[in-house]
Amino acid sequence: EDKVVQSPLSLVVHEGDTVTLNCSYEVTNFRSLLWYKQEKKAPTFLFMLTSSGIEKKSGRLSSILDKKELFSILNITATQTGDSAVYLCAGKNAGGTSYGKLTFGQGTILTVHP
Amino acid sequence: GAGVSQTPSNKVTEKGKYVELRCDPISGHTALYWYRQSLGQGPEFLIYFQGTGAADDSGLPNDRFFAVRPEGSVSTLKIQRTERGDSAVYLCASSRNSGSSYNEQFFGPGTRLTVL
């Protein structure tokens, strides 16, 4: 059974801090690893990582994938209160009838205090 | 439309009733997914449509759950004889074409179902 585990489950920091969120995965026919930010209901897409060792960046957020260790991290530098959300990582399946299916981790709740 | 839309945004029903949840994907997206998210958990896969057909329904928990997508666009998730354990947020996502597994999935705002 496919499994994605995130850590920590929750994190409380102050504005300006840097955080690292972790994601480990075991996904059959793995294709890519996705990160989403969920503030209210709809998860919003952040990154999709397919190749090992290539960092993806968007402003203060960056992410990297290690396909040998089955691991990904999401970094947020100079955190702001608007970064407070649940961060979800998901492994994408690329095989057979499960094409494109996402297996999500339980999420990391990030709280940024002013 | 500009994004994935779902209706209703909230649904409260009584145990044993039948409910329908609707998803309107992004125009032109051929792949559509339903997920269920319980409090404090990540979304769990329910079913995936490629066009009109359900390509993978392995995540549906039991035969009370059924989904259709008759014209390859709007999809309806149907739950019969609802139980309190069905209470959750039901999320729908669409992507351009799962044939290229590099396409990301865009999520709708979800329907919060509460079964009393």
Side-chain angles (χ1 to χ4, degrees):
Chain A
E1 186 179 325
D2 293 349
K3 189 166 71 170
V4 175
V5 177
Q6 293 185 244
S7 65
L9 293 181
S10 66
L11 194 52
V12 180
V13 300
H14 287 95
E15 271 192 321
D17 288 350
T18 291
V19 297
T20 298
L21 310 184
N22 305 298
C23 175
S24 64
Y25 65 90
E26 294 174 30
V27 174
T28 311
N29 296 312
F30 174 81
R31 170 64 74 184
S32 49
L33 191 290
L34 288 82
W35 284 95
Y36 286 86
K37 178 182 182 183
Q38 188 174 31
E39 291 176 88
K40 290 182 180 174
K41 284 194 205 169
T44 53
F45 173 78
L46 294 175
F47 296 112
M48 180 159 58
L49 303 149
T50 306
S51 302
S52 258
I54 298 174
E55 186 183 48
K56 289 212 171 180
K57 283 181 72 81
S58 176
R60 296 176 294 103
L61 278 66
S62 63
S63 185
I64 197 160
L65 176 67
D66 184 334
K67 290 170 78 172
K68 185 179 173 188
E69 299 296 327
L70 307 183
F71 192 80
S72 175
I73 60 171
L74 175 70
N75 280 317
I76 309 175
T77 58
T79 51
Q80 302 171 357
T81 55
D83 295 328
S84 297
V86 176
Y87 289 84
L88 296 164
C89 103
K92 190 169 194 176
N93 188 303
T97 57
S98 296
Y99 219 82
K101 169 185 167 184
L102 295 178
T103 300
F104 281 88
Q106 68 273 55
T108 293
I109 303 170
L110 175 64
T111 304
V112 182
H113 288 308
Chain B
V4 179
S5 61
Q6 291 186 246
T7 55
S9 56
N10 286 284
K11 176 72 178 177
V12 180
T13 191
E14 292 178 343
K15 182 173 177 292
K17 299 288 188 185
Y18 167 83
V19 297
E20 289 190 353
L21 312 180
R22 177 188 165 109
C23 171
D24 207 330
I26 294 171
S27 178
H29 280 195
T30 59
L32 185 147
Y33 304 81
W34 283 98
Y35 295 85
R36 178 169 73 172
Q37 188 173 23
S38 301
L39 195 62
Q41 301 296 317
E44 283 181 290
F45 170 79
L46 295 176
I47 187 169
Y48 150 54
F49 287 90
Q50 179 58 40
T52 59
D56 182 358
D57 64 359
S58 63
L60 295 178
N62 52 59
D63 62 5
R64 296 186 297 104
F65 288 74
F66 189 71
V68 295
R69 195 186 185 198
E71 297 175 2
S73 178
V74 170
S75 175
T76 305
L77 178 66
K78 307 180 182 196
I79 311 174
Q80 298 178 319
R81 305 182 304 281
T82 51
E83 299 177 358
R84 292 195 181 89
D86 299 335
S87 297
V89 175
Y90 289 81
L91 293 165
C92 174
S94 70
S95 68
R96 204 168 14 232
N97 183 347
S98 71
S100 166
S101 58
Y102 298 95
N103 288 329
E104 65 265 29
Q105 294 176 23
F106 295 90
F107 282 82
T111 293
R112 184 179 299 279
L113 175 66
T114 304
V115 182
L116 301 176

